[in-house]
Amino acid sequence: MATRTDAPTRREQILKEAARLFAERGFHGVGVDEIGAAVGISGPGLYRHFAGKDAMLAELLVGISGQLLTGAKRRLSEAEADGGVGAGVVLDSLIEGHIDFALDDRPLITLHDRELDRLRDSDRKMVRQLQRQYVELWVGVVREVYPGLGEPAARSAVHSVFGLLNSTPHLGRTGALAGRGAVAELLHRMARGAFAAAGE
């Protein structure tokens, strides 16, 4: 996927439209012709970019798992480079990063929930491996903020917060949201509240 400042490449445009269509109609409910039409090329023209729909699905789900992990590692590295930043600030930064994903890439959450089992075993294992690393990174930070919290409880709390933040596909269309900033702030407060309750 493109960064927020870069113009998306044709490949990224295809992936974005494929994610939207797969989330709306299901993987088997969308043909390559429809994906091509959404980006202004013929269905067969997609094969210059991807081997097929399976390859698009794999790149979407493996890709977003990798991006979440990379983003979280970057936030940790920036905090370490800063030196004086406490674990609470790092946790807030991780929450903000996940909220950005949850609000900006909602079709990918739906795709993951519905279509993960359609991936080849090797791709599905890669997604799971990346997700485990992402969770463990969070667990380490949460335990720094709440040192009395045992590892299993911290892991459960992280999964619970992910469930909360990843509920955004159920918020309705983007235009129906009560302002992105207000939703992001509410999600952040709820996530912090969940961690605080677990750490009591």
Side-chain angles (χ1 to χ4, degrees):
M1 301 278 167
T3 64
R4 301 298 173 207
T5 55
D6 293 337
T9 65
R10 176 50 60 95
R11 187 179 179 86
E12 290 163 342
Q13 291 171 345
I14 292 168
L15 286 172
K16 181 178 180 182
E17 289 305 314
R20 179 182 66 80
L21 291 167
F22 292 159
E24 288 176 0
R25 301 182 205 168
F27 180 73
H28 287 305
V30 179
V32 292
D33 290 338
E34 293 171 272
I35 299 170
V39 294
I41 61 176
S42 68
L46 288 177
Y47 294 109
R48 289 197 299 271
H49 302 277
F50 296 96
K53 289 198 310 177
D54 290 338
M56 291 180 213
L57 182 63
E59 185 155 336
L60 284 164
L61 295 182
V62 174
I64 193 57
S65 299
Q67 286 176 41
L68 284 169
L69 178 59
T70 298
K73 286 180 175 178
R74 188 192 72 245
R75 288 168 184 270
L76 275 181
S77 295
E78 289 171 355
E80 288 172 4
D82 194 352
V85 174
V89 174
V90 177
L91 180 58
D92 285 333
S93 180
L94 290 176
I95 293 170
E96 288 165 11
H98 199 98
I99 288 172
D100 284 343
F101 154 69
L103 291 176
D104 295 339
D105 294 308
R106 292 192 289 164
L108 292 176
I109 296 172
T110 301
L111 255 174
H112 179 275
D113 290 345
R114 291 184 190 164
E115 312 289 358
L116 181 64
D117 288 342
R118 299 194 189 283
L119 293 181
R120 293 179 307 173
D121 285 346
S122 59
D123 291 325
R124 189 166 55 253
K125 286 177 183 174
M126 177 60 71
V127 169
R128 294 299 191 199
Q129 180 183 12
L130 292 166
Q131 289 174 340
R132 279 193 297 273
Q133 292 177 53
Y134 185 60
V135 168
E136 293 311 309
L137 188 149
W138 277 67
V139 168
V141 174
V142 168
R143 293 191 71 201
E144 282 188 57
V145 179
Y146 304 100
L149 197 58
E151 190 172 311
R155 191 172 292 108
S156 294
V158 168
H159 281 292
S160 297
V161 167
F162 287 172
L164 165 70
L165 300 182
N166 291 345
S167 68
T168 54
H170 305 290
L171 294 176
R173 293 182 305 179
T174 305
L177 298 179
R180 188 188 189 286
V183 173
E185 183 179 345
L186 175 62
L187 288 171
H188 197 124
R189 287 203 312 269
M190 292 173 74
R192 267 305 213 146
F195 284 131
E200 287 177 352

